[in-house]
């Protein structure tokens, strides 16, 4: 069931950021549904006419859209809604499954997204020592720092300085070797020659662990 309510300033900001990042038209609805006697209050984001979203996996792109909306919610809004839904607002034959995200999981993903942000900020500052310091000791050795420096110096020599970055996707990674599931954040670096470069960072789902548990720069 839908109910009418104007978007708050925070909600409008989140919708605007989604529109800018993906080059998408955005709209929203607010509503609730009752299942087995439990009421879910849902903020639904509708996105459409986006070439960027047409090239990205829908589950991880929609996850990031929900996270962007949640990041801009006020504390009160985080209390008032139980879920954020993301819907591809296209022609019926092109419509993709609506994805639903619980706010509790989004809160955890927002917390650990700081690992991605720190990594990205260090890349922009060319502070590779700080990156390696933050990598879990199980996943680094004596060659980690020189390899990272050499790789990034090669990119910068070819494309110029890093001018910015964007987080485009996030999801939950299940390691092939088993073990704990991880948050995985994916984005791209922007260089001064206008080129972009994909990269990803993995972080623990244990909020007390702020280490980098993996990264890829290709």
């Amino acid at each position: 069931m839908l109910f009418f309510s104007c978007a708050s300033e925070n909600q409008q900001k989140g919708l605007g950021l989604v529109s800018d990042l993906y080059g998408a038209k955005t709209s929203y609805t607010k509503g609730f549904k009752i299942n087995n006697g439990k009421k879910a209050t849902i903020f639904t984001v509708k996105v459409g006419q986006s070439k960027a979203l047409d090239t990205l996996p829908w589950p991880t792109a929609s996850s990031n859209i929900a996270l962007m909306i949640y990041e801009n919610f006020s504390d009160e809004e985080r209390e008032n809604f139980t879920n954020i839904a993301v819907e591809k607002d296209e022609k019926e034959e092109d419509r993709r499954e609506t994805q639903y995200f619980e706010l509790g999981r989004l809160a955890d993903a927002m917390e650990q997204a700081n690992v991605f942000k720190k990594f990205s900020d260090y890349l922009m500052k060319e502070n590779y020592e700080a990156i390696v310091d933050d990598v879990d000791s199980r996943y680094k050795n004596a060659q980690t720092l020189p390899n990272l420096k050499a790789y990034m110096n090669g990119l910068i020599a070819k494309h110029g300085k890093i001018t910015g970055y964007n987080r485009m996707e996030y999801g939950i990674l299940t390691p092939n070797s088993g073990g704990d599931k991880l948050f995985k954040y994916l984005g791209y670096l922007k260089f001064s020659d206008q080129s972009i470069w994909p990269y990803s960072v993995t972080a623990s789902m244990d909020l007390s662990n702020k280490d980098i548990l993996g990264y890829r720069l290709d």
Side-chain angles (χ1 to χ4, degrees):
M1 181 178 294
L2 300 179
F3 58 85
F4 177 78
S5 175
C6 294
S8 69
E9 183 177 340
N10 294 320
Q11 292 163 0
Q12 289 174 347
K13 180 182 177 183
L15 291 167
L17 290 171
V18 169
S19 178
D20 291 343
L21 180 61
Y22 295 102
K25 284 193 172 183
T26 59
S27 60
Y28 72 95
T29 60
K30 302 179 187 182
F32 67 89
K33 63 180 180 179
I34 298 175
N35 188 19
N36 295 326
K38 293 185 178 180
K39 180 180 177 182
T41 309
I42 305 167
F43 185 94
T44 299
V45 186
K46 297 183 179 183
V47 293
Q49 300 182 32
S50 167
K51 292 182 180 179
L53 287 174
D54 287 340
T55 66
L56 295 171
W58 180 237
T60 51
S62 59
S63 296
N64 195 57
I65 291 169
L67 183 55
M68 292 175 70
I69 296 297
Y70 180 80
E71 287 169 332
N72 286 281
F73 271 4
S74 66
D75 290 342
E76 182 180 1
E77 288 164 342
R78 291 172 185 172
E79 291 291 330
N80 290 341
F81 291 97
T82 60
N83 298 81
I84 293 173
V86 184
E87 177 183 314
K88 192 78 181 301
D89 190 16
E90 299 286 7
K91 294 180 296 185
E92 190 65 36
E93 60 268 26
D94 296 330
R95 188 163 294 165
R96 306 185 196 183
E97 180 182 355
T98 300
Q99 302 285 325
Y100 291 87
F101 304 92
E102 294 182 358
L103 264 64
R105 177 56 57 84
L106 291 172
D108 292 348
M110 181 180 73
E111 175 74 20
Q112 294 303 81
N114 287 317
V115 177
F116 173 88
K117 184 178 186 303
K118 280 183 66 178
F119 177 92
S120 305
D121 289 340
Y122 285 147
L123 280 183
M124 287 194 66
K125 297 174 183 176
E126 300 179 33
N127 189 350
Y128 308 125
E129 291 82 0
I131 289 176
V132 175
D133 284 346
D134 281 353
V135 173
D136 186 295
S137 60
R138 294 171 293 174
Y139 307 119
K140 62 184 175 183
N141 56 40
Q143 292 304 308
T144 303
L145 179 57
N147 287 346
L148 176 59
K149 281 184 175 180
Y151 189 84
M152 291 307 303
N153 287 342
L155 285 180
I156 291 169
K158 184 175 182 180
H159 300 292
K161 296 286 188 179
I162 298 172
T163 59
Y165 62 88
N166 287 116
R167 190 190 72 218
M168 302 296 291
E169 306 169 65
Y170 106 83
I172 296 173
L173 174 68
T174 302
N176 292 331
S177 58
D180 295 335
K181 293 181 179 180
L182 306 170
F183 284 125
K184 184 175 183 179
Y185 303 91
L186 302 94
Y188 62 78
L189 300 169
K190 296 184 285 187
F191 289 86
S192 57
D193 69 351
Q194 307 302 312
S195 63
I196 60 174
W197 198 263
Y199 71 114
S200 64
V201 178
T202 52
S204 176
M205 295 183 74
D206 175 359
L207 302 188
S208 67
N209 184 350
K210 304 303 182 185
D211 288 345
I212 297 168
L213 300 187
Y215 62 84
R216 288 184 63 95
L217 287 161
D218 54 16

